[in-house]
Amino acid sequence: MTAPALFLAERGIEVIGVDPAGASLEVARAKPGGDRVRRVHCDVTALPPPRVDPATMTANVARAIIDPEAWRDTLRGAHTVLRSGGRPVSETRDPARRAWEEWNREESHRVTDVPGVGAVESRGGATEVGGPLVAFRWTYVLGADGQVLTSDSTLRFRERREVEADLDGSGLTVEGVRDAPGRPGRELVFVTRRPRTGGERSGGPTAAGVTPRRCGRGAGR
């Protein structure tokens, strides 16, 4: 569960965390204050009522949705769950910054003390760049026994015009694009709105963690 979701929940706002990965929901449950967030095991295209305002897609998860059709399904799903006049807010890395060039073994090296595990050494870097797709590998070394774990992922870096066109195509109106606080020039934050229609009230829960894939439903606190 992202920090914004916990921040809002601590202030008495009803928050729904959506993720197709059950393991991620279990991690969220264990965080301090995680029990204040309602967790739903599905993606935004399968999210049951109620309608929400706003919906956020944080932690640059937009880059992890590399399939164009899955990306458009996600935006259409966000449109569906939003109340009339509701705002979906998402962020993505600005490809003009070429952030992957900073992903190398020297710059990324970290040693983290993980409770119950001990020191964990990590390094990562891009392994392939092809158009908007960037593949990278992260390597972890567990200090306790020297075990080596690797994680391979691919991200999609979308140009601003592409994101704006996809948002418009899903029925969402782009009201502004801004820098992320504290990270000028690195990210694009899209502030959009579902156009108002008659017969719907504004307000409602906040949906956090809009995600790409369809999966089974389930909810809990």
Side-chain angles (χ1 to χ4, degrees):
M1 202 65 59
T2 62
L6 297 174
F7 177 86
L8 293 171
E10 287 172 358
R11 282 150 182 80
I13 298 173
E14 183 183 359
V15 180
I16 304 172
V18 184
D19 203 307
S24 295
L25 294 175
E26 290 304 314
V27 170
R29 190 201 310 273
K31 290 185 177 181
D35 59 339
R36 297 189 179 98
V37 178
R38 175 186 171 193
R39 295 171 302 278
V40 183
H41 186 194
C42 70
D43 73 5
V44 72
T45 66
L47 183 65
R51 289 204 166 174
V52 301
D53 180 13
T56 64
M57 183 160 40
T58 57
N60 290 295
V61 72
R63 293 180 300 155
I65 310 174
I66 63 176
D67 178 72
E69 190 55 37
W71 166 245
R72 288 189 286 269
D73 283 346
T74 298
L75 296 180
R76 287 191 288 264
H79 178 278
T80 299
V81 301
L82 280 166
R83 291 179 182 271
S84 175
R87 292 181 182 275
V89 180
S90 61
E91 60 183 301
T92 187
R93 290 290 184 96
D94 186 351
R97 176 79 182 193
R98 301 178 67 84
W100 57 87
E101 294 181 350
E102 302 173 5
W103 300 347
N104 56 68
R105 294 179 62 82
E106 291 72 29
E107 295 291 334
S108 65
H109 180 254
R110 299 286 187 277
V111 178
T112 305
D113 186 29
V114 179
V117 177
V120 177
E121 182 180 7
S122 61
R123 299 178 185 269
T127 56
E128 184 178 357
V129 179
L133 300 180
V134 178
F136 64 97
R137 168 171 288 186
W138 221 259
T139 301
Y140 305 88
V141 180
L142 308 186
D145 57 9
Q147 183 180 5
V148 178
L149 306 175
T150 59
S151 173
D152 294 296
S153 299
T154 300
L155 301 176
R156 188 180 190 95
F157 286 78
R158 294 178 175 86
E159 300 284 348
R160 171 174 173 169
R161 288 179 295 178
E162 179 186 358
V163 177
E164 289 177 324
D166 288 339
L167 288 165
D168 182 71
S170 66
L172 298 168
T173 300
V174 180
E175 295 190 335
V177 182
R178 61 189 66 171
D179 281 329
R183 299 188 292 278
R186 289 181 173 272
E187 298 178 13
L188 301 171
V189 180
F190 294 85
V191 180
T192 56
R193 185 186 291 275
R194 177 181 173 177
R196 291 191 179 277
T197 57
E200 287 190 44
R201 296 177 301 171
S202 61
T206 293
V210 173
T211 44
R213 294 161 294 178
R214 187 178 303 276
C215 58
R217 297 183 183 181
R221 283 189 179 274

